[in-house]
Amino acid sequence: MTTVVVWTGVMLLGGVGAVCRFLLDRAVSARHTRGFPFGTLAVNLSGAFLLGFLGGLALDRHAALLAGTAFVGSYTTFSTWMLETQRLGEERRVWPAVGNIGISVALGLTAAWLGMSLGSHL
């Protein structure tokens, strides 16, 4: 693949990943309005699973760049996760803030492991 094709793919797939993040976050958040960032949690857990799955497939470097870095990198969102956690803390909602960190890390690692396990068996 030429460099131009790869970077064009990165731009396009990055845009698709960002739109998918927005749509999933919005859909989940519309159903769960309790003030906990369930939308971001759903996005990051599904992204961890997908990235683990792609890692288990052992893709070539161009496919890994396009699928992992471009799509999943723009789909998942560390910054929003931390901003929402900070906001929970500022609102003195300490247990939801701590829970957001603990649940995201524990379930994210589990999702990545499950994805990698599944991907490596294909």
Side-chain angles (χ1 to χ4, degrees), residues 66-91:
L66 291 171
T69 303
F71 179 80
V72 180
S74 66
Y75 174 72
T76 58
T77 175
F78 180 82
S79 57
T80 301
W81 172 51
M82 285 292 101
L83 179 63
E84 291 171 341
T85 303
Q86 177 188 357
R87 285 185 182 158
L88 289 169
E90 288 174 351
E91 295 168 357

Side-chain angles (χ1 to χ4, degrees), residues 48-59:
F49 177 84
L50 182 57
L51 192 57
F53 179 77
L54 294 170
L57 292 177
L59 302 172

Side-chain angles (χ1 to χ4, degrees), residues 9-33:
V10 167
M11 288 186 303
L12 293 174
L13 286 172
V16 170
V19 169
C20 289
R21 173 183 68 210
F22 172 76
L23 294 174
L24 179 60
D25 182 21
R26 189 172 181 177
V28 171
S29 295
R31 294 175 188 248
H32 299 284
T33 58

Side-chain angles (χ1 to χ4, degrees), residues 5 8 15 20 26 39 55 60 67 76-77 96-98 107-108 114:
V5 171
T8 301
C20 289
R26 189 172 181 177
D60 71 44
T76 58
T77 175
V98 171
L107 292 182
L114 287 171

